[in-house]
Amino acid sequence: MEYRTLGKTGYKISEVSLGTWQLGSKWGDPFSNQDAQETLEAAYQAGVNFFDTADIYQDGESEKAIGEFLAAHPERDIIVSTKMGRALDPHTIDSYSKENLEAFVAKSLKNLKTDSLDLILLHCPPTDAYYHKEIFDTLDEMKADGRIKHYGVSVERIEEAIKALDYDISAVEIIFNILRQKPADLFFKLAQAQNVGTIIRVPLASGLLTGKYTLETTFEKNDHRNFNRNGEAFDKGETFAGVDYATGVRAATELKDQLGTDNLAQTALRWILMFDAVSTIIPGASNAAQIASNTGAADLQPLTHEQMLICQNIYEEFFEPTVKYLW
């Protein structure tokens, strides 16, 4: 495992890390703390020292499982990023009060069994939030008194990521993969100029970039890949990276054929690591076996110029004309 610096935090974190939206269960299945602990241990043994979670993941069970794992590893060389805000109902700008933000931080501190959060991110707040300085003033206050060490944002749109750079953020969590390449056009350059780290989410486009799905593949009733394809529950960019499913299947097939690989998932993750602005990737895993597959991407040789061109051409052919302008 190689390690990269997460912007101005100075944290040296694994370039392939762990996103915990699926921790302890498959999509829609009951939470299993045993599975969660085994997955975290497998990640740790593979050199992963950065866990990304959120207060709403598994209704708080994800944070609690990580807190339990940290307590069992008192050497504390693990960095945890957690997110807050998506539990607000309604999820509107009016709900982003100082009281609510402080309550969210207090809950995460308790769940993670710590006195100070390594990194907390606003969890895809409404776009208008980036025009309310008082929200970031509250984060500055909590940073000053030690409740949080660093803060940043998880975003849906490029404009949100760029606007967030007006504040003292340390990191931006953003969707970036072969099907969603827009962050590399401008945002990465701006983030590097301000020493802001980038955490890459949805790196495999909800599994499309494993190359294992077909037009006949079905998903469970409670799986977001079943019920949120058109943004029925939340931003559709979270599901299959927002691309049309059938088009994504065709593109993945083309990528496998042209790249000459039977392991598209690892190649797709290695593609992301080709960008110097990337601090870490956070593919999800619901069991230990998936950890080995994800972290194996760090061992691959860099993609060649010809392979990078293939990925660029597939993106331009299938997605750039429409997807680029949605986020």
Side-chain angles (χ1 to χ4, degrees):
M1 180 65 68
E2 298 293 331
Y3 297 82
R4 301 187 181 195
T5 302
L6 183 63
K8 66 183 70 170
T9 68
Y11 298 144
K12 298 292 186 181
I13 62 173
S14 44
E15 61 182 10
V16 179
S17 296
L18 177 63
T20 63
W21 191 2
Q22 305 172 56
L23 185 69
S25 71
K26 296 180 181 178
W27 298 116
D29 287 352
F31 179 81
S32 165
N33 187 57
Q34 180 177 340
D35 288 348
Q37 295 304 319
E38 290 176 356
T39 301
L40 293 169
E41 182 64 34
Y44 186 62
Q45 293 301 323
V48 172
N49 72 339
F50 182 79
F51 299 151
D52 175 88
T53 186
D55 54 7
I56 63 166
Y57 288 174
Q58 306 290 0
D59 196 25
E61 293 300 323
S62 176
E63 280 189 336
K64 291 176 183 177
I66 293 173
E68 180 180 332
F69 186 81
L70 294 178
H73 294 77
E75 63 271 22
R76 195 63 169 87
D77 59 346
I78 300 165
I79 303 299
V80 178
S81 170
T82 192
K83 299 184 286 294
M84 65 175 179
R86 289 294 286 270
L88 292 168
D89 187 15
H91 187 231
T92 62
I93 188 61
D94 293 337
S95 298
Y96 276 77
S97 64
K98 180 176 181 178
E99 293 74 19
N100 282 338
L101 294 175
E102 290 184 331
F104 285 138
V105 166
K107 182 179 179 181
S108 290
L109 286 168
K110 180 180 179 181
N111 286 346
L112 289 165
K113 303 179 187 300
T114 185
D115 296 324
S116 182
L117 299 175
D118 297 325
L119 174 66
I120 195 157
L121 308 176
L122 297 181
H123 198 172
C124 299
T127 302
D128 197 35
Y130 299 95
Y131 296 86
H132 284 256
K133 182 176 179 293
E134 64 273 14
I135 293 173
F136 297 89
D137 288 342
T138 296
L139 295 173
D140 285 330
E141 291 173 11
M142 289 191 283
K143 182 177 177 181
D145 66 28
R147 280 175 284 179
I148 61 178
K149 296 183 177 71
H150 299 276
Y151 69 83
V153 295
S154 181
V155 303
E156 300 285 5
R157 301 178 182 280
I158 298 292
E159 67 177 285
E160 296 166 347
I162 292 174
K163 181 60 180 174
L165 296 173
D166 285 349
Y167 306 101
D168 188 28
I169 63 169
S170 296
V172 171
E173 189 172 290
I174 194 166
I175 295 174
F176 180 62
N177 57 53
I178 294 174
L179 316 185
R180 290 271 299 270
Q181 298 189 22
K182 187 176 179 180
D185 290 348
L186 174 62
F187 172 68
F188 281 174
K189 299 179 183 68
L190 297 177
Q192 283 184 298
Q194 293 191 213
N195 198 22
V196 169
T198 58
I199 303 166
I200 305 304
R201 64 192 186 96
V202 198
L204 296 177
S206 305
L208 269 177
L209 285 169
T210 64
K212 297 178 180 179
Y213 296 167
T214 69
L215 296 180
E216 288 71 42
T217 301
T218 59
F219 302 95
E220 295 295 326
K221 178 181 178 181
N222 294 327
D223 191 320
H224 73 105
R225 292 171 292 187
N226 177 51
F227 66 76
N228 192 58
R229 291 194 183 190
N230 298 304
E232 295 91 338
F234 41 83
D235 192 285
K236 71 176 184 178
E238 305 277 354
T239 301
F240 299 128
V243 307
D244 172 71
Y245 178 76
T247 304
V249 169
R250 290 197 301 272
T253 300
E254 284 289 323
L255 282 166
K256 287 177 65 176
D257 290 345
Q258 294 189 37
L259 292 171
T261 180
D262 290 324
N263 195 336
L264 181 59
Q266 287 189 347
T267 302
L269 294 177
R270 189 65 184 87
W271 177 88
I272 296 172
L273 294 176
M274 295 295 292
F275 294 82
D276 292 340
V278 170
S279 304
T280 189
I281 314 170
I282 52 169
S286 58
N287 58 58
Q290 292 173 351
I291 293 293
S293 176
N294 291 339
T295 56
D299 297 327
L300 296 185
Q301 291 296 314
L303 272 65
T304 66
H305 177 70
E306 290 73 19
Q307 288 174 317
M308 293 298 288
L309 281 178
I310 288 170
C311 295
Q312 181 68 28
N313 292 338
I314 291 290
Y315 167 69
E316 291 177 353
E317 176 184 354
F318 287 94
F319 306 110
E320 186 176 41
T322 54
V323 174
K324 178 178 180 178
Y325 302 95
L326 295 178
W327 292 280

